[in-house]
Amino acid sequence: GDAPDVSPFPTWIVFMILAVGLSKIPPKTILKSIKPLVVIILITGVINLFYGEGEPLVSLGKLKITMDGVMTAVFMAVRIIELVIVGSLLTYTTSPTELTDALERLKPLKVFKIDVHVIAMTMTIALRFIPTLIEEIDKIMAAQKSRGADMESGGLIRRAKGLVPILIPLFISSFRRANELADAMECRCYRGGAGRTKMKEMHLHTGDFFALAAVVLYIAGIFVVNHFLGSVL
């Protein structure tokens, strides 16, 4: 296939460094979010090494590593790292409530008749129950281990079978919680977002306009680097 366009790399890296600096989050905290994905990043990079074209640098039978493949591997690895860092910045600096409130304020979606209130409510409930589900998994695993269940030894298939005693009770518990939540919302006369008022009204401030300007400059920088300086980089 064609090599990825890596010309916007400098713009990506500069923007990411500025975002981390402005967030005032310790770099160690950001790096912790990358650690669980190191294996995935390495596997992705190794696989993409063999998808390049041109003169081979190293030949391994029918497989060959070219400079094109090396660039593709680096591009994909850096891309995953950037996505993880940007996602971590979003979750570290913005609360789930602020995320859903902002989503519900997206007027362009309302123009296309998209029920943003339902989407926001779904996100709020999902984010709210993530810690509850993690706690439930820990309880189920402790209960199954006390009954003699072995989920850590054996091959991949055996470990997958060992997850069945965990997943079934987890699904049953999740459906039970969902029914209880639905009953509670109906008892409180919840009927959706039509006609509902906001406890917290959101307004644009000076920092929001600076952030919007930064995003516009970032997109413009990628366009300029990609279309005018791509042949130089």
Side-chain angles (χ1 to χ4, degrees), residues 4-6 8-14 16-17 34 37 40-42 44-46 48 70-86 218:
D5 187 1
V6 298
F9 254 32
T11 312
W12 290 6
I13 296 172
V14 170
M16 188 170 59
I17 293 173
I34 301 176
L37 298 176
I40 295 177
I41 295 171
L42 290 175
T44 303
V46 171
N48 281 277
V70 173
M71 293 298 295
T72 303
V74 173
F75 174 82
M76 295 303 297
V78 173
R79 198 174 191 180
I80 295 173
I81 293 173
E82 184 193 16
L83 287 173
V84 174
I85 291 177
V86 172
Y218 170 63

PDB file of all heavy atoms in Angstrom, residues 4-6 8-14 16-17 34 37 40-42 44-46 48 70-86 218:
ATOM      1  N   PRO A   4       2.038   6.204   4.577  1.00  0.00           N
ATOM      2  CA  PRO A   4       1.241   7.245   5.177  1.00  0.00           C
ATOM      3  C   PRO A   4       1.908   8.590   5.036  1.00  0.00           C
ATOM      4  O   PRO A   4       3.135   8.691   4.965  1.00  0.00           O
ATOM      5  CB  PRO A   4       1.162   6.822   6.648  1.00  0.00           C
ATOM      6  CG  PRO A   4       2.401   6.015   6.856  1.00  0.00           C
ATOM      7  CD  PRO A   4       2.640   5.299   5.571  1.00  0.00           C
ATOM      8  N   ASP A   5       1.098   9.646   5.011  1.00  0.00           N
ATOM      9  CA  ASP A   5       1.630  10.993   4.902  1.00  0.00           C
ATOM     10  C   ASP A   5       2.100  11.438   6.281  1.00  0.00           C
ATOM     11  O   ASP A   5       1.291  11.721   7.161  1.00  0.00           O
ATOM     12  CB  ASP A   5       0.538  11.938   4.377  1.00  0.00           C
ATOM     13  CG  ASP A   5       1.085  13.320   4.070  1.00  0.00           C
ATOM     14  OD1 ASP A   5       2.293  13.513   4.249  1.00  0.00           O
ATOM     15  OD2 ASP A   5       0.294  14.196   3.662  1.00  0.00           O
ATOM     16  N   VAL A   6       3.415  11.470   6.485  1.00  0.00           N
ATOM     17  CA  VAL A   6       3.964  11.802   7.789  1.00  0.00           C
ATOM     18  C   VAL A   6       4.384  13.259   7.884  1.00  0.00           C
ATOM     19  O   VAL A   6       4.976  13.666   8.880  1.00  0.00           O
ATOM     20  CB  VAL A   6       5.176  10.899   8.110  1.00  0.00           C
ATOM     21  CG1 VAL A   6       4.755   9.458   8.165  1.00  0.00           C
ATOM     22  CG2 VAL A   6       6.288  11.095   7.081  1.00  0.00           C
ATOM     23  N   PRO A   8       2.700  16.005   8.581  1.00  0.00           N
ATOM     24  CA  PRO A   8       2.200  16.796   9.711  1.00  0.00           C
ATOM     25  C   PRO A   8       2.811  16.410  11.047  1.00  0.00           C
ATOM     26  O   PRO A   8       2.433  16.971  12.067  1.00  0.00           O
ATOM     27  CB  PRO A   8       0.684  16.493   9.716  1.00  0.00           C
ATOM     28  CG  PRO A   8       0.384  15.851   8.414  1.00  0.00           C
ATOM     29  CD  PRO A   8       1.640  15.156   8.027  1.00  0.00           C
ATOM     30  N   PHE A   9       3.782  15.469  11.062  1.00  0.00           N
ATOM     31  CA  PHE A   9       4.365  15.012  12.329  1.00  0.00           C
ATOM     32  C   PHE A   9       4.833  16.163  13.224  1.00  0.00           C
ATOM     33  O   PHE A   9       4.519  16.185  14.419  1.00  0.00           O
ATOM     34  CB  PHE A   9       5.530  14.071  12.042  1.00  0.00           C
ATOM     35  CG  PHE A   9       5.199  12.631  12.316  1.00  0.00           C
ATOM     36  CD1 PHE A   9       3.909  12.157  12.127  1.00  0.00           C
ATOM     37  CD2 PHE A   9       6.165  11.760  12.774  1.00  0.00           C
ATOM     38  CE1 PHE A   9       3.597  10.838  12.377  1.00  0.00           C
ATOM     39  CE2 PHE A   9       5.863  10.423  13.040  1.00  0.00           C
ATOM     40  CZ  PHE A   9       4.573   9.973  12.832  1.00  0.00           C
ATOM     41  N   PRO A  10       5.621  17.129  12.690  1.00  0.00           N
ATOM     42  CA  PRO A  10       6.087  18.220  13.563  1.00  0.00           C
ATOM     43  C   PRO A  10       4.933  18.985  14.200  1.00  0.00           C
ATOM     44  O   PRO A  10       4.998  19.352  15.374  1.00  0.00           O
ATOM     45  CB  PRO A  10       6.899  19.108  12.610  1.00  0.00           C
ATOM     46  CG  PRO A  10       7.318  18.197  11.507  1.00  0.00           C
ATOM     47  CD  PRO A  10       6.176  17.241  11.335  1.00  0.00           C
ATOM     48  N   THR A  11       3.869  19.242  13.433  1.00  0.00           N
ATOM     49  CA  THR A  11       2.716  19.972  13.967  1.00  0.00           C
ATOM     50  C   THR A  11       2.043  19.178  15.070  1.00  0.00           C
ATOM     51  O   THR A  11       1.667  19.733  16.109  1.00  0.00           O
ATOM     52  CB  THR A  11       1.705  20.262  12.839  1.00  0.00           C
ATOM     53  OG1 THR A  11       2.397  20.807  11.718  1.00  0.00           O
ATOM     54  CG2 THR A  11       0.651  21.234  13.298  1.00  0.00           C
ATOM     55  N   TRP A  12       1.876  17.870  14.869  1.00  0.00           N
ATOM     56  CA  TRP A  12       1.273  17.006  15.895  1.00  0.00           C
ATOM     57  C   TRP A  12       2.072  17.067  17.183  1.00  0.00           C
ATOM     58  O   TRP A  12       1.517  17.255  18.270  1.00  0.00           O
ATOM     59  CB  TRP A  12       1.249  15.564  15.412  1.00  0.00           C
ATOM     60  CG  TRP A  12       0.305  15.266  14.308  1.00  0.00           C
ATOM     61  CD1 TRP A  12      -0.470  16.154  13.607  1.00  0.00           C
ATOM     62  CD2 TRP A  12       0.029  13.985  13.750  1.00  0.00           C
ATOM     63  NE1 TRP A  12      -1.197  15.514  12.663  1.00  0.00           N
ATOM     64  CE2 TRP A  12      -0.913  14.183  12.712  1.00  0.00           C
ATOM     65  CE3 TRP A  12       0.488  12.709  14.009  1.00  0.00           C
ATOM     66  CZ2 TRP A  12      -1.416  13.127  11.954  1.00  0.00           C
ATOM     67  CZ3 TRP A  12       0.003  11.658  13.257  1.00  0.00           C
ATOM     68  CH2 TRP A  12      -0.937  11.867  12.246  1.00  0.00           C
ATOM     69  N   ILE A  13       3.382  16.892  17.072  1.00  0.00           N
ATOM     70  CA  ILE A  13       4.225  16.808  18.268  1.00  0.00           C
ATOM     71  C   ILE A  13       4.232  18.128  19.020  1.00  0.00           C
ATOM     72  O   ILE A  13       4.118  18.159  20.257  1.00  0.00           O
ATOM     73  CB  ILE A  13       5.650  16.383  17.875  1.00  0.00           C
ATOM     74  CG1 ILE A  13       5.630  14.971  17.276  1.00  0.00           C
ATOM     75  CG2 ILE A  13       6.582  16.435  19.076  1.00  0.00           C
ATOM     76  CD1 ILE A  13       6.941  14.529  16.682  1.00  0.00           C
ATOM     77  N   VAL A  14       4.350  19.241  18.292  1.00  0.00           N
ATOM     78  CA  VAL A  14       4.358  20.560  18.942  1.00  0.00           C
ATOM     79  C   VAL A  14       3.030  20.806  19.651  1.00  0.00           C
ATOM     80  O   VAL A  14       2.997  21.260  20.806  1.00  0.00           O
ATOM     81  CB  VAL A  14       4.641  21.667  17.906  1.00  0.00           C
ATOM     82  CG1 VAL A  14       4.403  23.044  18.517  1.00  0.00           C
ATOM     83  CG2 VAL A  14       6.062  21.563  17.399  1.00  0.00           C
ATOM     84  N   MET A  16       0.898  18.602  20.773  1.00  0.00           N
ATOM     85  CA  MET A  16       0.761  17.696  21.904  1.00  0.00           C
ATOM     86  C   MET A  16       1.596  18.171  23.090  1.00  0.00           C
ATOM     87  O   MET A  16       1.141  18.141  24.239  1.00  0.00           O
ATOM     88  CB  MET A  16       1.184  16.283  21.491  1.00  0.00           C
ATOM     89  CG  MET A  16       0.910  15.207  22.530  1.00  0.00           C
ATOM     90  SD  MET A  16       1.166  13.547  21.849  1.00  0.00           S
ATOM     91  CE  MET A  16       2.885  13.644  21.339  1.00  0.00           C
ATOM     92  N   ILE A  17       2.828  18.637  22.836  1.00  0.00           N
ATOM     93  CA  ILE A  17       3.685  19.141  23.912  1.00  0.00           C
ATOM     94  C   ILE A  17       3.057  20.379  24.551  1.00  0.00           C
ATOM     95  O   ILE A  17       3.043  20.522  25.792  1.00  0.00           O
ATOM     96  CB  ILE A  17       5.095  19.443  23.378  1.00  0.00           C
ATOM     97  CG1 ILE A  17       5.796  18.142  22.966  1.00  0.00           C
ATOM     98  CG2 ILE A  17       5.920  20.178  24.424  1.00  0.00           C
ATOM     99  CD1 ILE A  17       7.124  18.354  22.282  1.00  0.00           C
ATOM    100  N   ILE A  34       0.098   5.285  29.039  1.00  0.00           N
ATOM    101  CA  ILE A  34       0.660   4.605  27.870  1.00  0.00           C
ATOM    102  C   ILE A  34       1.156   3.213  28.237  1.00  0.00           C
ATOM    103  O   ILE A  34       1.135   2.298  27.404  1.00  0.00           O
ATOM    104  CB  ILE A  34       1.809   5.446  27.271  1.00  0.00           C
ATOM    105  CG1 ILE A  34       1.295   6.834  26.874  1.00  0.00           C
ATOM    106  CG2 ILE A  34       2.434   4.761  26.062  1.00  0.00           C
ATOM    107  CD1 ILE A  34       2.387   7.752  26.370  1.00  0.00           C
ATOM    108  N   LEU A  37      -0.500  -0.048  27.209  1.00  0.00           N
ATOM    109  CA  LEU A  37      -0.637  -0.270  25.765  1.00  0.00           C
ATOM    110  C   LEU A  37       0.703  -0.478  25.066  1.00  0.00           C
ATOM    111  O   LEU A  37       0.750  -0.492  23.834  1.00  0.00           O
ATOM    112  CB  LEU A  37      -1.360   0.929  25.128  1.00  0.00           C
ATOM    113  CG  LEU A  37      -2.783   1.187  25.619  1.00  0.00           C
ATOM    114  CD1 LEU A  37      -3.332   2.453  24.983  1.00  0.00           C
ATOM    115  CD2 LEU A  37      -3.693   0.012  25.292  1.00  0.00           C
ATOM    116  N   ILE A  40       0.661  -3.492  22.727  1.00  0.00           N
ATOM    117  CA  ILE A  40      -0.131  -3.238  21.506  1.00  0.00           C
ATOM    118  C   ILE A  40       0.637  -2.327  20.554  1.00  0.00           C
ATOM    119  O   ILE A  40       0.647  -2.541  19.329  1.00  0.00           O
ATOM    120  CB  ILE A  40      -1.488  -2.613  21.879  1.00  0.00           C
ATOM    121  CG1 ILE A  40      -2.311  -3.614  22.693  1.00  0.00           C
ATOM    122  CG2 ILE A  40      -2.253  -2.188  20.628  1.00  0.00           C
ATOM    123  CD1 ILE A  40      -3.631  -3.069  23.181  1.00  0.00           C
ATOM    124  N   ILE A  41       1.293  -1.300  21.098  1.00  0.00           N
ATOM    125  CA  ILE A  41       2.065  -0.386  20.258  1.00  0.00           C
ATOM    126  C   ILE A  41       3.218  -1.124  19.578  1.00  0.00           C
ATOM    127  O   ILE A  41       3.469  -0.935  18.376  1.00  0.00           O
ATOM    128  CB  ILE A  41       2.596   0.787  21.106  1.00  0.00           C
ATOM    129  CG1 ILE A  41       1.428   1.631  21.617  1.00  0.00           C
ATOM    130  CG2 ILE A  41       3.549   1.654  20.291  1.00  0.00           C
ATOM    131  CD1 ILE A  41       1.831   2.688  22.628  1.00  0.00           C
ATOM    132  N   LEU A  42       3.921  -1.986  20.324  1.00  0.00           N
ATOM    133  CA  LEU A  42       5.034  -2.739  19.744  1.00  0.00           C
ATOM    134  C   LEU A  42       4.553  -3.698  18.660  1.00  0.00           C
ATOM    135  O   LEU A  42       5.161  -3.801  17.587  1.00  0.00           O
ATOM    136  CB  LEU A  42       5.771  -3.508  20.846  1.00  0.00           C
ATOM    137  CG  LEU A  42       6.572  -2.654  21.837  1.00  0.00           C
ATOM    138  CD1 LEU A  42       7.151  -3.526  22.932  1.00  0.00           C
ATOM    139  CD2 LEU A  42       7.685  -1.893  21.120  1.00  0.00           C
ATOM    140  N   THR A  44       1.839  -3.462  16.836  1.00  0.00           N
ATOM    141  CA  THR A  44       1.418  -2.665  15.678  1.00  0.00           C
ATOM    142  C   THR A  44       2.627  -2.208  14.869  1.00  0.00           C
ATOM    143  O   THR A  44       2.625  -2.259  13.630  1.00  0.00           O
ATOM    144  CB  THR A  44       0.608  -1.447  16.145  1.00  0.00           C
ATOM    145  OG1 THR A  44      -0.510  -1.886  16.921  1.00  0.00           O
ATOM    146  CG2 THR A  44       0.115  -0.639  14.957  1.00  0.00           C
ATOM    147  N   GLY A  45       3.674  -1.742  15.574  1.00  0.00           N
ATOM    148  CA  GLY A  45       4.874  -1.295  14.873  1.00  0.00           C
ATOM    149  C   GLY A  45       5.562  -2.422  14.122  1.00  0.00           C
ATOM    150  O   GLY A  45       5.966  -2.257  12.970  1.00  0.00           O
ATOM    151  N   VAL A  46       5.693  -3.592  14.758  1.00  0.00           N
ATOM    152  CA  VAL A  46       6.362  -4.730  14.112  1.00  0.00           C
ATOM    153  C   VAL A  46       5.583  -5.184  12.885  1.00  0.00           C
ATOM    154  O   VAL A  46       6.168  -5.479  11.833  1.00  0.00           O
ATOM    155  CB  VAL A  46       6.528  -5.887  15.116  1.00  0.00           C
ATOM    156  CG1 VAL A  46       7.007  -7.144  14.408  1.00  0.00           C
ATOM    157  CG2 VAL A  46       7.510  -5.497  16.217  1.00  0.00           C
ATOM    158  N   ASN A  48       3.611  -3.418  10.955  1.00  0.00           N
ATOM    159  CA  ASN A  48       3.709  -2.431   9.878  1.00  0.00           C
ATOM    160  C   ASN A  48       5.097  -2.352   9.262  1.00  0.00           C
ATOM    161  O   ASN A  48       5.263  -1.745   8.202  1.00  0.00           O
ATOM    162  CB  ASN A  48       3.290  -1.054  10.404  1.00  0.00           C
ATOM    163  CG  ASN A  48       1.787  -0.897  10.494  1.00  0.00           C
ATOM    164  OD1 ASN A  48       1.117  -0.591   9.513  1.00  0.00           O
ATOM    165  ND2 ASN A  48       1.239  -1.128  11.675  1.00  0.00           N
ATOM    166  N   VAL A  70       9.639   1.062   7.721  1.00  0.00           N
ATOM    167  CA  VAL A  70      10.094   1.660   8.981  1.00  0.00           C
ATOM    168  C   VAL A  70       9.334   2.947   9.267  1.00  0.00           C
ATOM    169  O   VAL A  70       8.878   3.192  10.397  1.00  0.00           O
ATOM    170  CB  VAL A  70      11.614   1.934   8.933  1.00  0.00           C
ATOM    171  CG1 VAL A  70      12.057   2.715  10.158  1.00  0.00           C
ATOM    172  CG2 VAL A  70      12.376   0.621   8.827  1.00  0.00           C
ATOM    173  N   MET A  71       9.147   3.783   8.232  1.00  0.00           N
ATOM    174  CA  MET A  71       8.404   5.028   8.410  1.00  0.00           C
ATOM    175  C   MET A  71       6.948   4.753   8.778  1.00  0.00           C
ATOM    176  O   MET A  71       6.359   5.445   9.613  1.00  0.00           O
ATOM    177  CB  MET A  71       8.488   5.860   7.128  1.00  0.00           C
ATOM    178  CG  MET A  71       9.873   6.384   6.811  1.00  0.00           C
ATOM    179  SD  MET A  71      10.509   7.497   8.092  1.00  0.00           S
ATOM    180  CE  MET A  71       9.350   8.847   7.951  1.00  0.00           C
ATOM    181  N   THR A  72       6.376   3.726   8.138  1.00  0.00           N
ATOM    182  CA  THR A  72       4.989   3.364   8.455  1.00  0.00           C
ATOM    183  C   THR A  72       4.861   2.893   9.898  1.00  0.00           C
ATOM    184  O   THR A  72       3.931   3.265  10.615  1.00  0.00           O
ATOM    185  CB  THR A  72       4.503   2.255   7.504  1.00  0.00           C
ATOM    186  OG1 THR A  72       4.628   2.697   6.153  1.00  0.00           O
ATOM    187  CG2 THR A  72       3.050   1.908   7.786  1.00  0.00           C
ATOM    188  N   ALA A  73       5.818   2.077  10.351  1.00  0.00           N
ATOM    189  CA  ALA A  73       5.785   1.570  11.719  1.00  0.00           C
ATOM    190  C   ALA A  73       5.907   2.708  12.732  1.00  0.00           C
ATOM    191  O   ALA A  73       5.170   2.763  13.721  1.00  0.00           O
ATOM    192  CB  ALA A  73       6.911   0.556  11.924  1.00  0.00           C
ATOM    193  N   VAL A  74       6.840   3.632  12.480  1.00  0.00           N
ATOM    194  CA  VAL A  74       7.013   4.774  13.383  1.00  0.00           C
ATOM    195  C   VAL A  74       5.766   5.639  13.384  1.00  0.00           C
ATOM    196  O   VAL A  74       5.297   6.097  14.442  1.00  0.00           O
ATOM    197  CB  VAL A  74       8.249   5.594  12.970  1.00  0.00           C
ATOM    198  CG1 VAL A  74       8.331   6.878  13.785  1.00  0.00           C
ATOM    199  CG2 VAL A  74       9.513   4.770  13.141  1.00  0.00           C
ATOM    200  N   PHE A  75       5.208   5.858  12.209  1.00  0.00           N
ATOM    201  CA  PHE A  75       4.004   6.686  12.088  1.00  0.00           C
ATOM    202  C   PHE A  75       2.857   6.097  12.892  1.00  0.00           C
ATOM    203  O   PHE A  75       2.192   6.799  13.662  1.00  0.00           O
ATOM    204  CB  PHE A  75       3.613   6.790  10.603  1.00  0.00           C
ATOM    205  CG  PHE A  75       2.302   7.491  10.368  1.00  0.00           C
ATOM    206  CD1 PHE A  75       2.234   8.867  10.340  1.00  0.00           C
ATOM    207  CD2 PHE A  75       1.139   6.767  10.167  1.00  0.00           C
ATOM    208  CE1 PHE A  75       1.040   9.516  10.122  1.00  0.00           C
ATOM    209  CE2 PHE A  75      -0.062   7.401   9.942  1.00  0.00           C
ATOM    210  CZ  PHE A  75      -0.118   8.777   9.912  1.00  0.00           C
ATOM    211  N   MET A  76       2.603   4.809  12.765  1.00  0.00           N
ATOM    212  CA  MET A  76       1.499   4.171  13.466  1.00  0.00           C
ATOM    213  C   MET A  76       1.724   4.170  14.973  1.00  0.00           C
ATOM    214  O   MET A  76       0.794   4.399  15.761  1.00  0.00           O
ATOM    215  CB  MET A  76       1.309   2.747  12.950  1.00  0.00           C
ATOM    216  CG  MET A  76       0.876   2.666  11.500  1.00  0.00           C
ATOM    217  SD  MET A  76      -0.661   3.573  11.162  1.00  0.00           S
ATOM    218  CE  MET A  76      -1.818   2.670  12.192  1.00  0.00           C
ATOM    219  N   ALA A  77       2.968   3.903  15.415  1.00  0.00           N
ATOM    220  CA  ALA A  77       3.262   3.887  16.853  1.00  0.00           C
ATOM    221  C   ALA A  77       3.056   5.270  17.466  1.00  0.00           C
ATOM    222  O   ALA A  77       2.417   5.403  18.520  1.00  0.00           O
ATOM    223  CB  ALA A  77       4.690   3.408  17.082  1.00  0.00           C
ATOM    224  N   VAL A  78       3.590   6.295  16.806  1.00  0.00           N
ATOM    225  CA  VAL A  78       3.435   7.662  17.315  1.00  0.00           C
ATOM    226  C   VAL A  78       1.970   8.073  17.296  1.00  0.00           C
ATOM    227  O   VAL A  78       1.494   8.769  18.202  1.00  0.00           O
ATOM    228  CB  VAL A  78       4.291   8.639  16.492  1.00  0.00           C
ATOM    229  CG1 VAL A  78       4.013  10.081  16.898  1.00  0.00           C
ATOM    230  CG2 VAL A  78       5.766   8.320  16.664  1.00  0.00           C
ATOM    231  N   ARG A  79       1.249   7.632  16.305  1.00  0.00           N
ATOM    232  CA  ARG A  79      -0.172   7.977  16.204  1.00  0.00           C
ATOM    233  C   ARG A  79      -0.963   7.395  17.375  1.00  0.00           C
ATOM    234  O   ARG A  79      -1.802   8.078  17.968  1.00  0.00           O
ATOM    235  CB  ARG A  79      -0.728   7.447  14.880  1.00  0.00           C
ATOM    236  CG  ARG A  79      -2.031   8.081  14.455  1.00  0.00           C
ATOM    237  CD  ARG A  79      -2.403   7.596  13.075  1.00  0.00           C
ATOM    238  NE  ARG A  79      -3.490   8.361  12.509  1.00  0.00           N
ATOM    239  CZ  ARG A  79      -4.007   8.152  11.306  1.00  0.00           C
ATOM    240  NH1 ARG A  79      -3.510   7.179  10.560  1.00  0.00           N
ATOM    241  NH2 ARG A  79      -4.986   8.887  10.855  1.00  0.00           N
ATOM    242  N   ILE A  80      -0.693   6.140  17.719  1.00  0.00           N
ATOM    243  CA  ILE A  80      -1.383   5.523  18.856  1.00  0.00           C
ATOM    244  C   ILE A  80      -1.019   6.235  20.154  1.00  0.00           C
ATOM    245  O   ILE A  80      -1.882   6.519  20.990  1.00  0.00           O
ATOM    246  CB  ILE A  80      -1.036   4.025  18.945  1.00  0.00           C
ATOM    247  CG1 ILE A  80      -1.578   3.284  17.726  1.00  0.00           C
ATOM    248  CG2 ILE A  80      -1.607   3.413  20.225  1.00  0.00           C
ATOM    249  CD1 ILE A  80      -1.145   1.830  17.652  1.00  0.00           C
ATOM    250  N   ILE A  81       0.282   6.541  20.324  1.00  0.00           N
ATOM    251  CA  ILE A  81       0.719   7.239  21.540  1.00  0.00           C
ATOM    252  C   ILE A  81       0.042   8.596  21.653  1.00  0.00           C
ATOM    253  O   ILE A  81      -0.405   9.003  22.732  1.00  0.00           O
ATOM    254  CB  ILE A  81       2.252   7.393  21.538  1.00  0.00           C
ATOM    255  CG1 ILE A  81       2.910   6.024  21.665  1.00  0.00           C
ATOM    256  CG2 ILE A  81       2.709   8.319  22.653  1.00  0.00           C
ATOM    257  CD1 ILE A  81       4.416   6.044  21.495  1.00  0.00           C
ATOM    258  N   GLU A  82      -0.066   9.304  20.532  1.00  0.00           N
ATOM    259  CA  GLU A  82      -0.709  10.619  20.563  1.00  0.00           C
ATOM    260  C   GLU A  82      -2.183  10.503  20.934  1.00  0.00           C
ATOM    261  O   GLU A  82      -2.699  11.290  21.740  1.00  0.00           O
ATOM    262  CB  GLU A  82      -0.572  11.302  19.207  1.00  0.00           C
ATOM    263  CG  GLU A  82      -1.132  12.714  19.222  1.00  0.00           C
ATOM    264  CD  GLU A  82      -1.290  13.288  17.830  1.00  0.00           C
ATOM    265  OE1 GLU A  82      -1.256  12.512  16.871  1.00  0.00           O
ATOM    266  OE2 GLU A  82      -1.465  14.503  17.721  1.00  0.00           O
ATOM    267  N   LEU A  83      -2.869   9.509  20.376  1.00  0.00           N
ATOM    268  CA  LEU A  83      -4.280   9.320  20.707  1.00  0.00           C
ATOM    269  C   LEU A  83      -4.456   9.040  22.200  1.00  0.00           C
ATOM    270  O   LEU A  83      -5.376   9.565  22.838  1.00  0.00           O
ATOM    271  CB  LEU A  83      -4.857   8.171  19.870  1.00  0.00           C
ATOM    272  CG  LEU A  83      -5.092   8.455  18.393  1.00  0.00           C
ATOM    273  CD1 LEU A  83      -5.499   7.174  17.656  1.00  0.00           C
ATOM    274  CD2 LEU A  83      -6.169   9.511  18.212  1.00  0.00           C
ATOM    275  N   VAL A  84      -3.576   8.212  22.758  1.00  0.00           N
ATOM    276  CA  VAL A  84      -3.665   7.884  24.185  1.00  0.00           C
ATOM    277  C   VAL A  84      -3.408   9.126  25.032  1.00  0.00           C
ATOM    278  O   VAL A  84      -4.132   9.397  26.010  1.00  0.00           O
ATOM    279  CB  VAL A  84      -2.669   6.767  24.540  1.00  0.00           C
ATOM    280  CG1 VAL A  84      -2.654   6.536  26.043  1.00  0.00           C
ATOM    281  CG2 VAL A  84      -3.034   5.483  23.821  1.00  0.00           C
ATOM    282  N   ILE A  85      -2.394   9.913  24.664  1.00  0.00           N
ATOM    283  CA  ILE A  85      -2.060  11.106  25.445  1.00  0.00           C
ATOM    284  C   ILE A  85      -3.184  12.133  25.380  1.00  0.00           C
ATOM    285  O   ILE A  85      -3.588  12.699  26.413  1.00  0.00           O
ATOM    286  CB  ILE A  85      -0.735  11.719  24.944  1.00  0.00           C
ATOM    287  CG1 ILE A  85       0.432  10.790  25.284  1.00  0.00           C
ATOM    288  CG2 ILE A  85      -0.515  13.102  25.549  1.00  0.00           C
ATOM    289  CD1 ILE A  85       1.771  11.268  24.772  1.00  0.00           C
ATOM    290  N   VAL A  86      -3.717  12.373  24.186  1.00  0.00           N
ATOM    291  CA  VAL A  86      -4.808  13.339  24.045  1.00  0.00           C
ATOM    292  C   VAL A  86      -6.047  12.867  24.803  1.00  0.00           C
ATOM    293  O   VAL A  86      -6.720  13.651  25.481  1.00  0.00           O
ATOM    294  CB  VAL A  86      -5.128  13.579  22.554  1.00  0.00           C
ATOM    295  CG1 VAL A  86      -6.376  14.430  22.408  1.00  0.00           C
ATOM    296  CG2 VAL A  86      -3.955  14.255  21.866  1.00  0.00           C
ATOM    297  N   TYR A 218      -4.152  24.847  14.782  1.00  0.00           N
ATOM    298  CA  TYR A 218      -3.602  23.494  14.651  1.00  0.00           C
ATOM    299  C   TYR A 218      -4.019  22.865  13.321  1.00  0.00           C
ATOM    300  O   TYR A 218      -3.189  22.315  12.590  1.00  0.00           O
ATOM    301  CB  TYR A 218      -4.095  22.653  15.825  1.00  0.00           C
ATOM    302  CG  TYR A 218      -3.803  21.177  15.712  1.00  0.00           C
ATOM    303  CD1 TYR A 218      -2.500  20.713  15.674  1.00  0.00           C
ATOM    304  CD2 TYR A 218      -4.838  20.256  15.644  1.00  0.00           C
ATOM    305  CE1 TYR A 218      -2.225  19.357  15.575  1.00  0.00           C
ATOM    306  CE2 TYR A 218      -4.576  18.906  15.544  1.00  0.00           C
ATOM    307  CZ  TYR A 218      -3.274  18.459  15.506  1.00  0.00           C
ATOM    308  OH  TYR A 218      -3.019  17.136  15.405  1.00  0.00           O
TER     309      TYR A 218
END
